[in-house]
Amino acid sequence: MNERQKAFADYYIECLNATEAAKKAGYSNKTAHVIGSENLSKPEIKEYIKERLATKEKERIASQDEVLERLTAIMRGEVKDQLGLETPVKDMVKAAELLGKRYKLFVEKHEHTGKDGGPLVYEIKKPNFNRSDSDVESDN
């Protein structure tokens, strides 16, 4: 991939318009739409664009570790609000709650017992689709 193709790919990532990216990369206005389309079909340019987009995405979106670190800092009161004030207790509690859920510290269990105190046992009768109409009448 030459420098002009690399410039095309970088401009394409910015504007997502092949013709516009080709013009900005220095291709002729007359052939920009054709060159732009051709460049997008070249595997090395496609791969470069894919890698650059993945890098940008990684920079924009918080990782799992980042989120956990931020929640921990809030829970510990290490984060100030927009006005420079201490972290409100409700925010600290909410951060602790979210971390607790993440690490399954708060597991709710519901036990259901029968009349005798033992576990409930359900008996489910399966329908018999092979019975004739006369068998059904005799059951009644």
Side-chain angles (χ1 to χ4, degrees):
M1 181 167 56
N2 64 39
E3 287 303 312
R4 189 183 280 182
Q5 289 172 330
K6 185 176 178 186
F8 163 80
D10 289 334
Y11 287 125
Y12 179 77
I13 290 167
E14 287 177 16
C15 67
L16 296 177
N17 182 312
T19 302
E20 196 63 35
K23 289 178 185 177
K24 287 182 178 180
Y27 292 99
S28 139
N29 286 344
K30 291 181 181 179
T31 60
H33 66 286
V34 174
I35 297 289
S37 179
E38 287 176 1
N39 278 348
L40 286 179
S41 67
K42 294 180 180 177
E44 65 272 13
I45 295 176
K46 285 166 82 172
E47 185 62 31
Y48 176 78
I49 290 171
K50 183 179 174 183
E51 288 172 6
R52 293 274 294 138
L53 287 174
T55 302
K56 284 183 145 226
E57 189 76 10
K58 198 176 211 181
E59 292 169 0
R60 285 181 341 121
I61 298 175
S63 70
Q64 178 179 340
D65 290 340
E66 266 184 286
V67 171
L68 295 174
E69 287 170 9
R70 182 71 172 178
L71 286 172
T72 300
I74 292 169
M75 183 193 75
R76 293 179 177 163
E78 298 168 355
V79 177
K80 307 274 186 206
D81 70 3
Q82 298 92 332
L83 302 174
L85 302 173
E86 299 294 321
T87 306
V89 174
K90 68 177 184 156
D91 292 349
M92 295 167 74
V93 170
K94 182 65 177 178
E97 180 184 332
L98 292 170
L99 285 167
K101 284 181 181 179
R102 163 63 178 86
Y103 292 109
K104 296 183 174 122
L105 299 177
F106 315 117
V107 179
E108 289 186 29
K109 292 184 181 179
H110 298 280
E111 279 191 34
H112 298 280
T113 57
K115 292 178 185 174
D116 61 354
L120 285 176
V121 178
Y122 293 99
E123 183 179 322
I124 300 173
K125 294 184 179 181
K126 294 182 182 178
N128 183 355
F129 294 109
N130 296 325
R131 296 179 2 173
S132 68
D133 289 339
S134 61
D135 291 338
V136 174
E137 290 174 10
S138 64
D139 284 346
N140 294 334

